[in-house]
Protein backbone atom coordinates (compact mmCIF):
# COMPACT_ATOMS: atom_id res chain seq x y z
CA UNK A 1 0.00 0.00 0.00
CA UNK A 2 2.84 2.37 0.87
CA UNK A 3 4.43 1.81 -2.56
CA UNK A 4 1.24 3.00 -4.26
CA UNK A 5 1.23 6.21 -2.24
CA UNK A 6 4.87 6.85 -3.11
CA UNK A 7 4.20 6.19 -6.81
CA UNK A 8 1.13 8.44 -6.74
CA UNK A 9 3.14 11.23 -5.11
CA UNK A 10 5.92 10.75 -7.66
CA UNK A 11 3.38 10.94 -10.50
CA UNK A 12 1.92 14.12 -9.03
CA UNK A 13 5.37 15.75 -8.87
CA UNK A 14 6.31 14.68 -12.40
CA UNK A 15 2.99 15.94 -13.78
CA UNK A 16 3.28 19.23 -11.86
CA UNK A 17 6.75 19.81 -13.28
CA UNK A 18 5.57 18.93 -16.80
CA UNK A 19 2.58 21.28 -16.45
CA UNK A 20 4.82 24.17 -15.47
CA UNK A 21 7.20 23.30 -18.32
CA UNK A 22 4.42 23.24 -20.92
CA UNK A 23 2.92 26.46 -19.56
CA UNK A 24 6.33 28.17 -19.64
CA UNK A 25 7.04 27.06 -23.22
CA UNK A 26 3.54 28.10 -24.32
CA UNK A 27 3.89 31.57 -22.82
CA UNK A 28 7.42 31.92 -24.22
CA UNK A 29 6.25 30.99 -27.74
CA UNK A 30 3.32 33.43 -27.55
CA UNK A 31 5.62 36.23 -26.37
CA UNK A 32 8.10 35.49 -29.17
CA UNK A 33 5.28 35.44 -31.73
CA UNK A 34 4.04 38.79 -30.42
CA UNK A 35 7.50 40.32 -30.62
CA UNK A 36 7.97 38.95 -34.14
CA UNK A 37 4.54 40.36 -35.00
CA UNK A 38 5.61 43.81 -33.81
CA UNK A 39 8.81 43.53 -35.84
CA UNK A 40 6.84 42.42 -38.91
CA UNK A 41 4.42 45.32 -38.43
CA UNK A 42 7.26 47.84 -38.39
CA UNK A 43 8.80 46.22 -41.47
CA UNK A 44 5.38 46.11 -43.18
CA UNK A 45 5.67 42.36 -43.76
CA UNK A 46 2.58 41.23 -45.69
CA UNK A 47 2.63 37.88 -43.86
CA UNK A 48 2.30 39.44 -40.42
CA UNK A 49 -1.12 37.92 -39.71
CA UNK A 50 -0.09 34.47 -40.87
CA UNK A 51 3.15 34.48 -38.87
CA UNK A 52 1.39 35.79 -35.77
CA UNK A 53 -1.42 33.23 -36.06
CA UNK A 54 1.05 30.36 -36.46
CA UNK A 55 2.98 31.48 -33.37
CA UNK A 56 -0.18 31.90 -31.31
CA UNK A 57 -1.47 28.48 -32.40
CA UNK A 58 1.79 26.81 -31.38
CA UNK A 59 1.78 28.54 -28.01
CA UNK A 60 -1.82 27.52 -27.41
CA UNK A 61 -0.99 23.91 -28.28
CA UNK A 62 1.58 23.84 -25.47
CA UNK A 63 -0.88 25.42 -23.06
CA UNK A 64 -3.56 22.93 -24.09
CA UNK A 65 -1.07 20.14 -23.40
CA UNK A 66 -0.59 21.44 -19.88
CA UNK A 67 -4.34 21.43 -19.29
CA UNK A 68 -4.62 17.87 -20.52
CA UNK A 69 -1.85 16.87 -18.11
CA UNK A 70 -3.69 18.70 -15.35
CA UNK A 71 -6.59 16.24 -15.76
CA UNK A 72 -4.28 13.49 -14.47
CA UNK A 73 -4.05 15.02 -11.00
CA UNK A 74 -7.51 16.52 -10.42
CA UNK A 75 -9.45 14.92 -7.61
CA UNK A 76 -12.91 16.44 -7.34
CA UNK A 77 -15.76 17.23 -9.70
CA UNK A 78 -15.38 21.01 -9.41
CA UNK A 79 -11.74 20.80 -10.52
CA UNK A 80 -12.68 18.49 -13.39
CA UNK A 81 -15.38 20.93 -14.56
CA UNK A 82 -12.95 23.87 -14.41
CA UNK A 83 -10.21 22.02 -16.30
CA UNK A 84 -12.75 20.77 -18.87
CA UNK A 85 -14.00 24.32 -19.46
CA UNK A 86 -10.44 25.59 -19.91
CA UNK A 87 -9.68 22.76 -22.35
CA UNK A 88 -12.81 23.53 -24.38
CA UNK A 89 -11.97 27.25 -24.54
CA UNK A 90 -8.36 26.67 -25.51
CA UNK A 91 -9.34 24.05 -28.08
CA UNK A 92 -11.87 26.48 -29.57
CA UNK A 93 -9.22 29.21 -29.74
CA UNK A 94 -6.78 26.81 -31.36
CA UNK A 95 -9.42 25.75 -33.89
CA UNK A 96 -10.22 29.37 -34.75
CA UNK A 97 -6.56 30.25 -35.15
CA UNK A 98 -5.97 27.24 -37.39
CA UNK A 99 -8.99 28.28 -39.45
CA UNK A 100 -7.53 31.80 -39.72
CA UNK A 101 -4.19 30.33 -40.83
CA UNK A 102 -5.95 28.28 -43.51
CA UNK A 103 -7.83 31.36 -44.74
CA UNK A 104 -4.65 33.48 -44.81
CA UNK A 105 -2.82 30.80 -46.80
CA UNK A 106 -5.75 30.53 -49.23
CA UNK A 107 -5.79 34.33 -49.67
CA UNK A 108 -2.05 34.33 -50.20
CA UNK A 109 -2.36 31.57 -52.81
CA UNK A 110 -5.13 33.50 -54.59
CA UNK A 111 -2.95 36.61 -54.75
CA UNK A 112 -0.04 34.60 -56.18
CA UNK A 113 -2.23 33.11 -58.92
CA UNK A 114 -3.62 36.48 -60.08
Amino acid sequence: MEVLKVLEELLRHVVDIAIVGFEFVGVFVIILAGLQGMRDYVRKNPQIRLNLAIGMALGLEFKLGSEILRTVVVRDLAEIATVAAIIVLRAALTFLIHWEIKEEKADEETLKNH
Side-chain angles (χ1 to χ4, degrees):
M1 200 65 155
E2 189 67 32
V3 173
L4 287 177
K5 287 184 181 185
V6 170
L7 287 175
E8 184 177 341
E9 197 61 31
L10 177 64
L11 176 66
R12 182 177 294 279
H13 288 302
V14 169
V15 169
D16 286 343
I17 290 167
I19 288 169
V20 170
F22 276 105
E23 289 282 339
F24 178 78
V25 171
V27 168
F28 185 72
V29 168
I30 291 170
I31 289 170
L32 282 180
L35 292 173
Q36 182 182 5
M38 288 188 292
R39 186 195 69 205
D40 287 349
Y41 178 77
V42 169
R43 292 181 177 176
K44 307 248 189 279
N45 183 347
Q47 292 190 327
I48 181 174
R49 290 182 58 178
L50 181 60
N51 293 340
L52 191 56
I54 290 170
M56 296 292 174
L58 181 61
L60 278 172
E61 294 289 342
F62 279 103
K63 296 195 60 62
L64 185 58
S66 74
E67 293 303 331
I68 291 169
L69 281 175
R70 199 177 310 273
T71 64
V72 172
V73 294
V74 294
R75 292 291 174 211
D76 63 30
L77 199 53
E79 281 183 279
I80 291 171
T82 302
V83 171
I86 291 169
I87 288 173
V88 167
L89 288 172
R90 288 194 177 160
L93 281 172
T94 301
F95 173 78
L96 290 172
I97 289 173
H98 281 288
W99 178 77
E100 180 70 26
I101 291 169
K102 184 177 144 188
E103 292 296 314
E104 283 292 321
K105 285 182 178 179
D107 290 346
E108 194 174 279
E109 213 37 56
T110 302
L111 289 174
K112 282 182 184 179
N113 292 332
H114 291 331

